[in-house]
């Protein structure tokens, strides 16, 4: 089984072809800000964390941030099930930071 990409360049390229490079750059900037704000290190209800994960699943998937999207999907599922979310939340935070770094390294410039 292969590991999902932090940033799938092919997905970003295809999206850029569809919506244009300028709009893609703006979308990435907004998503990067959402990532920076995601899953803060404060106590919050599990249901709230699950909703945040749900929102980030599709945003990250659309932009080719496959590993983060998968981690958010797992976190959402665990939050809905009422299971412990400590490990999936830690993984989502780790991938949030790694994805932010990968997005800035793979800028469209």
């Amino acid at each position: 089984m292969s590991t999902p990409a932090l940033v799938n360049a092919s997905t970003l390229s295809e999206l850029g072809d569809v919506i244009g490079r300028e709009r893609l750059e703006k979308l990435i900037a907004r998503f990067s800000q959402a990532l920076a704000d995601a899953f803060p290190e404060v106590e919050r209800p599990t249901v709230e964390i699950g909703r945040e994960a749900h929102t980030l699943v599709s945003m990250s998937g659309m932009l080719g941030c496959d590993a983060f999207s998968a981690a958010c999907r797992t976190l959402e599922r665990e939050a809905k099930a009422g299971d412990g979310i400590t490990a999936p939340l830690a993984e989502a935070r780790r991938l949030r930071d790694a994805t932010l770094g990968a997005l800035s390294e793979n800028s469209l410039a």
Side-chain angles (χ1 to χ4, degrees):
M1 176 158 83
S2 66
T3 302
L6 285 175
V7 178
N8 186 324
S10 176
T11 299
L12 280 180
S13 178
E14 289 174 19
L15 183 58
D17 290 345
V18 172
I19 68 171
R21 197 165 195 72
E22 185 176 321
R23 287 181 66 196
L24 178 59
E25 289 171 356
K26 288 178 183 178
L27 190 59
I28 290 171
R30 282 194 304 252
F31 177 64
S32 293
Q33 185 58 57
L35 277 179
D37 296 338
F39 308 124
E41 300 282 340
V42 295
E43 280 293 317
R44 296 187 317 162
T46 299
V47 68
E48 188 177 313
I49 294 169
R51 277 193 300 258
E52 183 176 23
H54 174 79
T55 299
L56 291 166
V57 166
S58 55
M59 287 174 56
S60 55
M62 176 182 66
L63 290 171
C65 301
D66 302 335
F68 183 68
S69 183
C72 287
R73 190 173 296 111
T74 298
L75 178 56
E76 176 189 14
R77 184 178 55 249
E78 297 299 317
K80 280 184 180 177
D83 294 337
I85 62 165
T86 302
L89 180 57
E91 179 66 357
R93 286 175 173 155
R94 183 188 73 76
L95 286 168
R96 169 202 62 198
D97 297 342
T99 300
L100 266 170
L103 282 171
S104 64
E105 289 172 8
N106 293 307
S107 71
L108 301 174

